[in-house]
Structures are given as C-alpha cells and as structure tokens.
Amino acid sequence: MNKWLTVEKLSKNFGGVKALDEFSCHFEQGEVVGLIGPNGAGKTTFFNVLGGMLEADSGSAQLNKKKLTSIPAHRIANMGIARTFQKLRLIRQVSVLENVMLSFRNQSGENLVSLVIRWSKVRTQESENYDKALTILKRVGLQEKAGDLADTLSYGQQKLLTLACCIASDADLLLLDEPLAGVSPSMIEIVLEKLRELKNEGKTIVVIEHNLEAIMDDFDRVIFMDSGRKICEGKPDEIRNDPRVIEAYLK
Ligand SMILES: Nc1ncnc2c1ncn2[C@@H]1O[C@H](COP(=O)(O)OP(=O)(O)O)[C@@H](O)[C@H]1O
Ligand SMILES: [Mg+2]
C-alpha cells in the first residue's frame, strides 16, 4: 500500500481542550476520503495543522516523505496542498475571475523584482492566466459571473468559487471543509460532479462533511473521529453500520 501522506500522533491542545489527541491516519494517492465526526471532534483543526495554519503540539505529518509539520502555510501550498474553509475565505471585493487568478501557483508577478525586470513576461502570463481562469470558471459553471464581485454570488456559488480556486492552485491534495453545507440540492449535485471529475484526474481529496446521505457513496474510505481521536475507519458501508458511529450521530 502506498502511504502517500502519513500522519502520526498529532496532538493539539486549546487551553485544556484536546482538539487533536494523538490523531494518526494515512492517505493514498487518488483516494477520496471522508473525515466525519460530531461537532468539536477536531476535524477542522486537523486541516489547519495539515495546511500549516496551526502548529501541532506534537506528532508529525509527511507528504511523500517530506515533513509537513512546522512548515508555514504558503510553503505547504507550494507543496501541492489546497484547502477550502468552513467559513469561506474569498476575497469579496475583487471579481470572481480575479479570485481564481490569485489562486494560481508560482506567478511571476508575486515577486516585485521579477515584476520590474520581466514586466512583459508578467503581462503575457497575466493574459494566459486570464484564459486559464475563465476555463476553470466554465468548468464550475460560473463563467457568466466572471466580472462580478465575489461578494455578489449566492452562497452555493461562492462554494463553487472556492472549489474553482482549489482547481486553479493545481494542488494534488485537496482538503475540503464541509463543501455541501448550506448548499441547495441542485448545487449539491454540481459540487459532487466536480469532486468526481477531480478524482478521475488523480487528485487526492479529503472531505469533512455532515451531509452523509448525499456524499457517503462517493467516499473510497471514511475516517470517523471524535474528541480528537480516530475511532474507526473503513468502507462507507462498514462505517454506516458501526455502532460507535450510529451512537455518536444519535446522541
Ligand atoms: N482556535 C481555537 N481556539 C480555541 N479552541 C479551539 C480553536 N479551534 C478549535 N477549538 C476547539 O477545539 C475543538 C475541535 O474543534 P474543531 O477542530 O473546529 O472541530 P470540528 O471541525 O470537528 O467541529 C473544539 O472543542 C473547539 O472548540
Ligand atoms: Mg469544523
């Protein structure tokens, strides 16, 4: 088994609350894994640690044998990890298209020196990025909104835009925090279709989600966590019928 991303005994405390308590897991390349568990289980904290937004107290995570823990968020992004946030983090006062363009990795314009020295290259890249961004917006069905401010989109459209930003980053690993929450049934189908496309392209996708009815069958594997710990993992059917999972969701 190719353990592409391995997480060993990650712990994170918030003033006595063990958000992660020696949490271990692994992901293989190309898998779609569901990370489920009750509110406060530590799911978002896990994404924050993997994405470099939070530093773990102890434990480690490695991607392709490269250390991920204690590495700043921008470097983790450059290693090919992208995430969406439970509370969407779009740049609301810029256009939908610009949100996507700002998500491309390794842009010449990011660096002031290269901006001055290689202005024409930057301009060429800008126009290439413009076309690329428009293609990505078409892919999620938002091309008509390209010039609108991100703020003017409906909630479901904003979620699709965050997905478009993930696609733009061309990350190999996507961490999606509740992509279906607050999304209308017709929009849910679109989001699921995009996830399937991304899986077919070989992306590894970890999804935190409560709407299990909608998404469970799209998971190759499910990890159930509670109180910062992994309680069990398995195929969707095994997890659906696990008494510990049933009890946690009924309590
Ligand atoms: N920045 C923070 N400061 C203090 N406590 C936090 C912080 N982030 C998360 N927690 C606490 O850690 C626990 C796990 O939270 P979280 O990872 O958001 O859970 P989940 O995403 O599974 O609902 C909760 O008890 C939460 O209140
Ligand atoms: Mg959460």
Side-chain angles (χ1 to χ4, degrees), residues 12-15 17-20 35-48 54 86 177-178 208 210 225 227-228:
K12 179 72 192 173
N13 264 278
F14 292 110
V17 174
K18 287 182 175 178
L20 291 175
L35 183 60
I36 69 168
N39 278 327
K43 306 180 298 294
T44 297
T45 303
F46 174 58
F47 275 11
N48 284 335
L54 269 181
Q86 204 172 344
D177 201 344
E178 304 197 16
I208 297 174
H210 289 291
M225 70 184 294
S227 307

Side-chain angles (χ1 to χ4, degrees), residues 98-124:
E98 281 164 319
N99 267 277
V100 176
M101 287 176 74
L102 287 165
S103 304
F104 291 123
R105 275 195 272 163
N106 303 322
Q107 305 187 59
S108 308
E110 272 171 6
N111 176 325
L112 190 61
V113 176
S114 77
L115 187 72
V116 173
I117 297 174
R118 295 181 291 155
W119 181 245
S120 70
K121 184 182 169 211
V122 172
R123 292 303 295 266
T124 312

Side-chain angles (χ1 to χ4, degrees), residues 85-99:
F85 292 85
Q86 204 172 344
K87 297 190 181 82
L88 305 177
R89 282 200 191 169
L90 294 166
I91 309 172
R92 293 173 184 282
Q93 296 308 322
V94 311
S95 75
V96 167
L97 188 82
E98 281 164 319
N99 267 277

Side-chain angles (χ1 to χ4, degrees), residues 12 16 28 35 68 88 106 113 124-125 146 176 190 197 223 225 239:
K12 179 72 192 173
E28 291 166 52
L35 183 60
L68 280 182
L88 305 177
N106 303 322
V113 176
T124 312
Q125 195 185 50
L176 309 180
I190 300 176
E197 281 176 20
I223 297 173
M225 70 184 294
I239 294 300

Side-chain angles (χ1 to χ4, degrees), residues 140-204:
V140 300
L142 287 177
Q143 70 275 23
E144 315 252 294
K145 305 280 179 185
D148 297 0
L149 291 184
D151 210 19
T152 62
L153 296 182
S154 73
Y155 186 70
Q157 288 170 332
Q158 290 190 18
K159 286 219 153 171
L160 281 175
L161 179 55
T162 61
L163 203 56
C165 292
C166 272
I167 296 173
S169 75
D170 199 29
D172 301 314
L173 173 65
L174 306 181
L175 307 172
L176 309 180
D177 201 344
E178 304 197 16
L180 305 184
V183 174
S184 67
S186 59
M187 199 72 96
I188 283 179
E189 268 319 302
I190 300 176
V191 175
L192 291 176
E193 195 186 297
K194 296 306 138 193
L195 291 192
R196 289 170 200 144
E197 281 176 20
L198 289 165
K199 178 188 161 67
N200 285 338
E201 287 165 22
K203 306 285 185 193
T204 308

